[in-house]
Amino acid sequence: MPVLVITGTGTEVGKTVATATVAAAAVAAGRSVAVLKAAQTGVRPDEPGDADEVVRLAGGVTASEVARYPEPLAPATAARRAGRAPVRPHDIAEAAAKLATEHDLVLVEGAGGLLVRFDAEGGTLADAAELLGAPVLVVASAGLGTLNTTELTARELRARGLDLLGIVIGSWPDAPDLASRCNLADLPDVAAAPLLGALPAGAGALPPAAFREAAPRWLAPRLDGTWDADAFRAREAG
């Protein structure tokens, strides 16, 4: 798995922290890691972006962006309004492939959900994953409404013949409600893919050293971690 594409079921589901968690676990396992942000929006040229946040939390990671735009909009819209060239799927694929020649693992973090448009022709992160032949990890929210968006994302991946590696819950609440607890069983069912982790709420606010030490405990062995989905479900059900 030299390249792993990480998408969310939408915005604000914890995608960047999940990317940092996967990176930290891989680094702890002795792998060299790069993170590529497909399109960074909503930041100035001198501000740190999502890839920089992954480096801050995970440490020892190469950070790269294909492009960045100042307004916090979908990449195609942000590029158009800024009068700049858009990011195209082949740009993402080429950048990831180059990083893969120098690293054991390249994490490609998308912007928003799987089908957010990067250019006027409708190019998406899914198109980049197709070009790369890379598996996709989906970051989902915990509570009510997540089953629909997760199933839609999973169906689109399968319709394109892409490999859905699994689901990670981007922010697991300290006091989960009934819907969240039920979703531990329902998410892998609607996605037809394994649940590969659950990140505690506020994980991104931990000091970097504490984050790196804890990260493998939040992810399943498939992602270089020690998290056990069945044990987690049993504990949360109680």
Side-chain angles (χ1 to χ4, degrees), residues 58 89 98 144 176 215:
K98 181 179 179 181
L144 197 64

Side-chain angles (χ1 to χ4, degrees), residues 56-58 206-215:
R56 185 187 75 81
L57 289 170
L206 290 173
F211 181 93
R212 295 165 198 169
E213 191 275 331

Side-chain angles (χ1 to χ4, degrees), residues 150-227:
T150 300
E151 184 166 2
L152 287 171
T153 302
R155 286 190 181 193
E156 179 65 20
L157 288 169
R158 291 203 168 82
R160 291 170 175 260
L162 292 169
D163 176 19
L164 171 53
L165 186 71
I167 309 296
V168 167
I169 296 173
S171 180
W172 183 255
D174 294 333
D177 60 14
L178 177 60
S180 297
R181 296 196 304 274
C182 289
N183 287 340
L184 289 174
D186 292 340
L187 275 170
D189 183 41
V190 301
L195 190 61
L196 295 180
L199 317 185
L206 290 173
F211 181 93
R212 295 165 198 169
E213 191 275 331
R217 300 199 298 269
W218 304 332
L219 298 173
R222 185 71 181 83
L223 294 171
D224 297 309
T226 60
W227 185 82

Side-chain angles (χ1 to χ4, degrees), residues 2 14 19 22 27 49 54 63 67 70 72 80 87 98 104 109 116 133 143 151 178 193 231 235 237:
T19 302
V22 174
V27 170
V54 172
R80 184 182 71 243
V87 172
K98 181 179 179 181
D104 299 324
E109 182 185 341
V116 167
E151 184 166 2
L178 177 60
R235 188 191 78 193

Side-chain angles (χ1 to χ4, degrees), residues 107-126:
L107 304 175
V108 180
E109 182 185 341
L114 181 69
L115 297 184
V116 167
R117 295 191 171 198
F118 284 91
D119 58 29
E121 289 71 42
T124 67
L125 188 67

